[in-house]
Amino acid sequence: MMLSDDLGWLSILPVFMLIIYIGMIGLSIYGFVLFVKLARRGIRVMDLYLQDKNERKPGPPSL
């Protein structure tokens, strides 16, 4: 019976693992949201660049 009392602290490890698992899921979702924001910003910048490039249509090259 003494052995089971000494290993009682091991029963708390799954609780810590669950907390770490939930925390990692939360960080993953947060990272994905940040990535989507960055991608949307990059697309907006690329659209502005292309719009600016198309508005400045160069004339015929001079010889």
Side-chain angles (χ1 to χ4, degrees):
M1 198 68 178
M2 185 69 169
L3 183 62
S4 65
D5 289 339
D6 290 339
L7 297 178
W9 63 274
L10 286 176
S11 64
I12 207 161
L13 286 178
V15 174
F16 287 131
M17 293 302 291
L18 181 65
I19 291 171
I20 289 173
Y21 185 70
I22 291 172
M24 292 301 288
I25 289 174
L27 285 175
S28 298
I29 292 171
Y30 179 65
F32 181 73
V33 168
L34 288 178
F35 176 74
V36 168
K37 285 183 177 183
L38 179 67
R40 290 180 66 188
R41 185 174 290 182
I43 290 170
R44 188 180 316 133
V45 168
M46 183 61 89
D47 286 341
L48 290 173
Y49 170 75
L50 290 174
Q51 181 182 5
D52 184 47
K53 186 177 177 183
N54 285 336
E55 286 177 358
R56 290 192 216 172
K57 295 195 178 191
S62 58
L63 297 175

